[in-house]
Amino acid sequence: EGGWSYEVSALDTGILSQAISAYDAALILRHIAQLDTLDDNQLIAADVSGDGTASSTDAANIGQWGVGLITDFPSGEAWYFTPEAIAIDPLTQDTSMINFIGIAYGDVSGNWDNTNRSSAPYDVDENRSIFIETPEEYFITLSEPVDTEINGEDFNVYDLNANTIKGMLAFTFKFQLEGGAQDDIEFILSEDFINNLSFSNYHNNQFIITSAGVYPIDENNQSIGKILLNKSSSNEWGQLILSYAEVNEESATYDTQ
């Protein structure tokens, strides 16, 4: 006979860090440039600013989040659920057929799979690193530093290069680096990537670079850019060590020469 009435809603568990990368920002930029068209669910995922549109601001917010310049999206939301709630009135028997559609804000590519999470091909650490088992389609190298004088100040300059068999649309690199300060380290994109949306951040002995573009760059022996460490400051830099590389949401093989 009659039972109690219930309303069931989905729970927001925070930003899905292991599924969000610079590649998602690149998809937004390509949509804006009318090179690709995002579907309805992708448009929802892209709107991390909460203004109802997919814009370059959303792409920038994803890039800022990726390097730790912001810890939450401007909208304050991490997930979109539909329906918002399901009413059971009354509950008269066991009910298992309660389904919600969940869209993770920022995950424009939709690479999160809630149907088989235990065997998803990635894992995540506390630094938001994504490790994906893929063929070695991208090979990233970091050169030895070259002592260089720039505007009367001494710098260690590192060259960051890629040898690829697929185009580079978006990338994220992480480096271990002790000493110094944010104002004394700079990343400069090469001419081929100069129009990319790019962010970098140095914090807690880690330097993170993330970049997203509209057109993929697919040349071999590709110059990505230069990292400049100012040695003229009062800070003492340690060794710059490339510790993680991701291109187009795929892990990349990397080497420090």
Side-chain angles (χ1 to χ4, degrees):
E1 298 183 1
W4 294 96
S5 297
Y6 293 89
E7 184 175 87
V8 181
S9 58
L11 177 66
D12 183 336
T13 58
I15 294 177
L16 190 67
S17 59
Q18 67 265 40
I20 302 171
S21 74
Y23 186 68
D24 296 297
L27 293 180
I28 296 174
L29 296 176
R30 287 181 62 83
H31 172 80
I32 295 169
Q34 299 183 356
L35 294 171
D36 295 320
T37 301
L38 300 180
D39 63 28
D40 290 344
N41 286 348
Q42 288 178 306
L43 288 171
I44 291 171
D47 184 23
V48 298
S49 64
D51 66 357
T53 64
S55 68
S56 57
T57 298
D58 297 301
N61 291 152
I62 290 174
Q64 290 169 327
W65 180 86
V67 299
L69 293 175
I70 60 175
T71 56
D72 296 292
F73 292 135
S75 66
E77 302 292 336
W79 287 84
Y80 170 89
F81 293 107
T82 184
E84 293 184 359
I86 296 175
I88 305 174
D89 186 17
L91 178 64
T92 57
Q93 61 184 5
D94 291 344
T95 301
S96 60
M97 297 302 293
I98 299 176
N99 296 312
F100 294 86
I101 295 176
I103 299 173
Y105 284 111
D107 180 24
V108 183
S109 68
N111 67 329
W112 175 67
D113 178 11
N114 71 328
T115 61
N116 193 17
R117 295 186 67 185
S118 62
S119 60
Y122 55 72
D123 198 2
V124 62
D125 66 12
E126 68 277 6
N127 294 319
R128 302 176 181 154
S129 296
I130 306 170
F131 304 97
I132 306 176
E133 297 179 2
T134 59
E136 296 181 0
E137 297 172 320
Y138 308 99
F139 186 72
I140 311 299
T141 60
L142 179 69
S143 73
E144 291 289 341
V146 176
D147 290 336
T148 306
E149 183 176 329
I150 302 175
N151 296 328
E153 295 186 299
D154 293 328
F155 288 82
N156 275 342
V157 178
Y158 295 81
D159 285 310
L160 192 60
N161 299 285
N163 194 338
T164 74
I165 61 173
K166 292 174 63 177
M168 293 181 65
L169 185 63
F171 54 80
T172 298
F173 303 124
K174 299 182 181 183
F175 306 83
Q176 298 302 317
L177 177 65
E178 295 183 357
Q182 174 71 45
D183 292 341
D184 297 323
I185 183 170
E186 182 178 4
F187 173 63
I188 301 176
L189 286 167
S190 70
E191 289 186 1
D192 288 329
F193 293 97
I194 198 65
N195 293 319
N196 274 25
L197 182 66
S198 181
F199 295 94
S200 62
N201 187 32
Y202 177 62
H203 182 66
N204 290 337
N205 294 332
Q206 185 178 57
F207 184 54
I208 306 176
I209 297 167
T210 188
S211 181
V214 175
Y215 299 99
I217 306 298
D218 57 2
E219 298 179 12
N220 288 329
N221 301 316
Q222 180 67 47
S223 172
I224 300 171
K226 297 179 181 294
I227 298 172
L228 282 64
L229 304 183
N230 190 338
K231 298 196 303 177
S232 296
S233 68
S234 59
N235 301 292
E236 293 292 332
W237 290 107
Q239 183 180 3
L240 182 69
I241 301 173
L242 179 59
S243 59
Y244 176 74
E246 174 190 303
V247 180
N248 300 352
E249 288 192 331
E250 296 181 6
S251 62
T253 303
Y254 57 86
D255 181 35
T256 301
Q257 296 179 344

